[in-house]
Amino acid sequence: MSKKRALVSVSDKTGIVEFVKELVNLGFEVVSTGGTKNALLAADVPVIGISEVTGFPEILDGRVKTLHPNIHSGLLAMREREEHQQQLAEHNISPIDLVVVNLYPFKETIAKPGCTFEDAIENIDIGGPSMLRAAAKNHQHVTVVVDPTDYQTVLDELSNGQAVSLETKRQLAAKVFRHTAAYDALIAEYLTEAVGEEEPETFTVTYERKQGLRYGENPHQKATFYKKPLADESSIASAIQLHGKELSYNNIHDADAALAIVKEFEEPAVVAVKHMNPCGVGTGTTIEEAYGRAYEADSVSIFGGIVAANREIDEATATKMKDIFLEIIIAPSFTQEALNVLTTKKNLRLLTVPMNKQEKPEAMLTSIHGGLLVQDEDHYGLDDASVTIPTKREPTEAEWEALKVAWKVVKHVKSNAIVLANGQMTVGVGAGQMNRVGAADIAIAQASERIEGAVMGSDAFFPMGDTVELAGKAGVTAIIQPGGSIRDEESIEMANKYGIAMIMTGVRHFKH
């Protein structure tokens, strides 16, 4: 009876020598290629070179070595079909029982600073995916391993039962097709971006599992957290958790929202988020001062909230944060003294995210039942806007500072959205209402006596003058909004009536 044959060709050589030694001990003969063959020979593992099987040398700088009938026939032959066995015998081809392959490091290559297009192309594997797909297709007869973490599973079954079970083979085959699909998706994404194709006829993306979640938005919904293969360092997907229990589905959503808002500010800033909306935003000369203002903005809603800061958390700030129940604190770093204070709360999650990294623009994906919506992220800022001032009065310098705060925050509030702010903090937030007057009512009520001298930001234009009139009666002195309504003149006249300075940006910030 002929020996069982394993074909081994890996870029990631983690654990490969030990694994193959065990295969040899179990009676396998091993066929290998290039660098893998050399690593095995250096460890005194007996190896058959791929050229001995194909009768053809490795050529074209290794681009062609396994693409040969002697390899793929050995992978694809069905053992129960007599004609397949006869054809193998006729051409003196040995069947291959076990394939261990992982692929050229395309992801790692394009992640390197200064990676050229030529470097990327050269790291597209051809023979590897072909062998994997062939073996996975014929998994009833061939065990195929693409992940070093599966080596021990295969060895355990080979040692105990002298054969890998069909169930395990099928699971490994499924992993192979996930792996090759992800590999191809990353290549497709890279090349699509390189040629500037904005609306490809098919849209294929890949993500890697970061962690399982206890449940989704609600306990009856299953959920998992996936990360982009080359996610920005300054994202929640790349955050480092220093303390606290695992993040939940809702934690991740809210943390992402808080991080997006706090990145809008260059000065020290703190953002508190509840249910995907900011409940308080504060700025200051120090992060302690900024946190105090974010807390003061809505001292009720911040309870149980997610807080993001764009500066290191020091002991003084940590001591104030400890006084209330918070789910998460996100910052670029924490002093050791701050950690000593905050880690006394065992369930409080502490995350670090670098805030000074240049973000790469990426598509926003929103699933709908049966489909997917794809759009650019809303990176449009006030510096990009074509600002006009249609009212009789222009904003004062202090009002301009407050308007900037309101405009940065309202962009991240669920529509219809109204934000009231002064130069250092939000004082009222009206979110997710079916009409703009309703959003303004909520923001004004929340602001209470703090509204005197505050400014208003609106994510979209006013369809009529009623919201402006409401703002004027409440004491708002300046408004920033996109403009563009057929009834803009009504809003302008109302602003002039109450001495309000109105800024029009020409850009709306709907957020559904």
Side-chain angles (χ1 to χ4, degrees):
M1 184 177 176
S2 62
K3 280 189 170 185
K4 287 188 175 294
R5 173 169 281 191
L7 173 58
V8 183
S9 179
V10 294
S11 291
D12 178 2
K13 295 177 176 57
T14 304
I16 194 62
V17 170
E18 296 76 13
F19 180 50
V20 174
K21 280 183 177 179
E22 289 300 317
L23 292 178
V24 171
N25 291 337
L26 290 167
F28 279 81
E29 64 177 11
V30 177
V31 177
S32 192
T33 66
T36 306
K37 181 184 74 172
N38 294 336
L40 294 173
L41 289 174
D44 295 324
V45 179
V47 178
I48 301 169
I50 197 75
S51 296
E52 297 177 56
V53 177
T54 63
F56 200 88
E58 299 184 22
I59 63 172
L60 305 181
D61 299 319
R63 281 189 168 201
V64 176
K65 53 194 174 209
T66 60
L67 295 169
H68 194 280
N70 286 2
I71 298 300
H72 285 272
S73 298
L75 293 173
L76 289 164
M78 300 181 73
R79 309 299 196 264
E80 77 278 10
R81 292 196 182 180
E82 187 176 341
E83 64 271 30
H84 282 201
Q85 298 307 309
Q86 289 174 348
Q87 289 170 17
L88 290 182
E90 179 183 348
H91 295 284
N92 196 29
I93 298 172
S94 298
I96 297 171
D97 306 284
L98 175 62
V99 170
V100 187
V101 170
N102 54 56
L103 307 177
Y104 291 175
F106 182 80
K107 180 181 77 171
E108 292 77 8
T109 298
I110 63 174
K112 293 176 183 176
C115 171
T116 65
F117 185 79
E118 291 72 23
D119 287 338
I121 296 301
E122 198 56 35
N123 278 277
I124 296 175
D125 203 325
I126 301 301
S130 299
M131 289 188 291
L132 287 172
R133 288 173 61 84
K137 175 176 179 174
N138 201 27
H139 67 267
Q140 184 173 350
H141 306 291
V142 183
T143 302
V144 55
V145 187
V146 73
D147 185 348
T149 63
D150 292 317
Y151 291 167
Q152 193 58 51
T153 298
V154 171
L155 287 177
D156 289 345
E157 294 200 19
L158 287 171
S159 299
N160 296 332
Q162 301 302 309
V164 179
S165 68
L166 179 59
E167 180 183 6
T168 298
K169 286 179 179 178
R170 190 163 289 166
Q171 289 172 347
L172 293 172
K175 179 179 276 193
V176 162
F177 283 114
R178 292 195 301 272
H179 182 77
T180 57
Y183 192 77
D184 284 343
L186 195 58
I187 295 168
E189 183 178 2
Y190 176 84
L191 289 173
T192 299
E193 185 177 313
V195 301
E197 178 61 67
E198 295 184 351
E199 292 188 12
E201 70 286 350
T202 59
F203 184 75
T204 307
V205 292
T206 184
Y207 288 81
E208 300 165 351
R209 186 170 68 87
K210 182 177 174 71
Q211 70 183 73
L213 301 173
R214 288 175 59 205
Y215 52 81
E217 278 186 295
N218 301 290
H220 60 275
Q221 294 171 274
K222 293 181 180 179
T224 310
F225 185 17
Y226 288 89
K227 175 184 176 181
K228 281 180 69 70
L230 298 174
D232 280 321
E233 289 182 38
S234 57
S235 68
I236 290 300
S238 299
I240 297 172
Q241 184 166 350
L242 304 180
H243 179 72
K245 59 185 180 180
E246 282 195 347
L247 297 171
S248 71
Y249 181 97
N250 292 332
N251 287 158
I252 294 164
H253 248 316
D254 286 337
D256 180 62
L259 184 59
I261 303 169
V262 84
K263 285 180 183 177
E264 295 276 358
F265 295 88
E266 294 182 6
E267 68 271 35
V270 173
V271 173
V273 163
K274 286 287 287 290
H275 299 287
M276 295 291 290
N277 278 307
C279 55
V281 177
T283 64
T285 56
T286 66
I287 207 66
E288 179 185 3
E289 188 175 52
Y291 172 72
R293 287 173 176 152
Y295 174 81
E296 182 187 344
D298 189 344
S299 59
V300 174
S301 298
I302 195 173
F303 184 86
I306 281 71
V307 169
N310 64 359
R311 297 289 194 279
E312 182 175 69
I313 301 297
D314 56 23
E315 183 177 18
T317 309
T319 300
K320 291 182 177 179
M321 289 175 163
K322 185 188 174 185
D323 287 341
I324 64 169
F325 167 54
L326 297 173
E327 289 273 8
I328 303 173
I329 301 172
I330 307 159
S333 58
F334 297 78
T335 66
Q336 186 57 54
E337 293 77 12
L339 288 174
N340 292 342
V341 170
L342 295 170
T343 53
T344 59
K345 307 187 85 167
K346 67 177 184 178
N347 291 330
L348 174 61
R349 293 112 164 151
L350 304 178
L351 306 181
T352 59
V353 176
M355 303 281 178
N356 57 348
K357 298 292 183 181
Q358 183 66 37
E359 289 187 358
K360 187 172 72 173
E362 60 181 49
M364 290 182 65
L365 314 182
T366 303
S367 62
I368 62 168
H369 193 76
L372 182 74
L373 293 170
V374 182
Q375 68 171 344
D376 296 335
E377 285 184 297
D378 185 1
H379 282 302
Y380 204 98
L382 195 56
D383 291 340
D384 304 308
S386 299
V387 171
T388 59
I389 304 173
T391 50
K392 294 177 181 178
R393 189 173 76 80
E394 294 190 1
T396 64
E397 187 175 333
E399 286 171 336
W400 259 118
E401 293 306 308
L403 288 166
K404 289 176 184 177
V405 173
W407 192 242
K408 288 175 181 178
V409 176
V410 79
K411 168 181 172 182
H412 298 274
V413 178
K414 294 289 185 181
S415 301
N416 284 315
I418 293 290
V419 169
L420 300 173
N422 57 39
Q424 295 81 39
M425 60 189 278
T426 55
V427 295
V429 178
Q433 299 307 299
M434 286 64 71
N435 62 73
R436 202 154 297 280
V437 175
D441 277 331
I442 292 171
I444 290 168
Q446 185 185 51
S448 189
E449 70 277 0
R450 297 178 301 179
I451 198 171
E452 193 64 37
V455 304
M456 173 181 284
S458 175
D459 64 331
F461 63 60
F462 300 119
M464 54 194 70
D466 49 3
T467 305
V468 179
E469 183 173 25
L470 192 65
K473 288 179 176 179
V476 169
T477 63
I479 293 174
I480 187 167
Q481 57 117 339
S485 169
I486 60 173
R487 299 173 70 171
D488 271 348
E489 196 57 40
E490 185 178 328
S491 295
I492 294 166
E493 289 176 5
M494 195 64 70
N496 286 331
K497 176 182 176 180
Y498 286 94
I500 293 172
M502 182 179 287
I503 310 304
M504 290 186 176
T505 65
V507 172
R508 76 178 189 204
H509 287 300
F510 274 158
K511 189 174 180 64
H512 284 82

